[in-house]
Amino acid sequence: MELNMTLNGLELWKATGGFANEPHVHDDWYQLTLPVRGQCHLVQERHAYPLKAGIGIIAHPQTEHYFEIGSDSAVIVIKFRKPPLGSFGGAELSGGELSFDLPRHLILLR
């Protein structure tokens, strides 16, 4: 891991050259995993996703996931919590609870 930055409700990580983590879940964090060089082998809820640079995936809270990159690869990980009321277009307040939809898989093109 070569970069780790934490802000209020947001974490940014960058890993390069031969990184792997263990299966885990985040209680209340979403996680966007985005390879920026090479490939990333990501497993989410027991499904394997071979991600190439520019193609990312979102793990919702309580979703088991882990990934591995080779020595010639780099990945950016952005973790975030549900945004506060009024700060996210499309957010709805229902019964005192904030809800909004994020895709389970996000494809980003270069």
Side-chain angles (χ1 to χ4, degrees):
M1 196 68 61
E2 72 179 46
L3 171 70
N4 179 6
M5 182 173 25
T6 303
L7 305 169
N8 188 22
L10 180 74
E11 289 185 18
L12 174 64
W13 298 73
K14 181 179 180 189
T16 60
F19 177 81
N21 59 11
E22 297 293 322
H24 63 281
V25 299
H26 304 287
D27 290 335
D28 61 351
W29 289 89
Y30 290 86
Q31 176 176 313
L32 168 62
T33 304
L34 178 63
V36 293
R37 184 176 71 237
Q39 295 185 353
C40 173
H41 175 75
L42 185 136
V43 176
Q44 181 168 295
E45 294 292 311
R46 300 186 189 130
H47 290 88
Y49 298 94
L51 304 175
K52 297 178 186 177
I55 300 175
I57 190 168
I58 291 178
H60 284 232
Q62 301 296 320
T63 301
E64 184 179 84
H65 60 281
Y66 63 96
F67 69 89
E68 179 177 355
I69 60 172
S71 60
D72 60 343
S73 298
V75 66
I76 292 176
V77 174
I78 302 170
K79 289 174 40 183
F80 57 97
R81 291 191 169 102
K82 286 187 177 182
L85 184 60
S87 66
F88 187 81
E92 296 180 14
L93 185 61
S94 173
E97 183 175 336
L98 176 67
S99 66
F100 64 97
D101 292 323
L102 286 175
R104 289 255 173 218
H105 303 94
L106 176 68
I107 299 175
L108 302 172
L109 303 175
R110 294 182 260 181

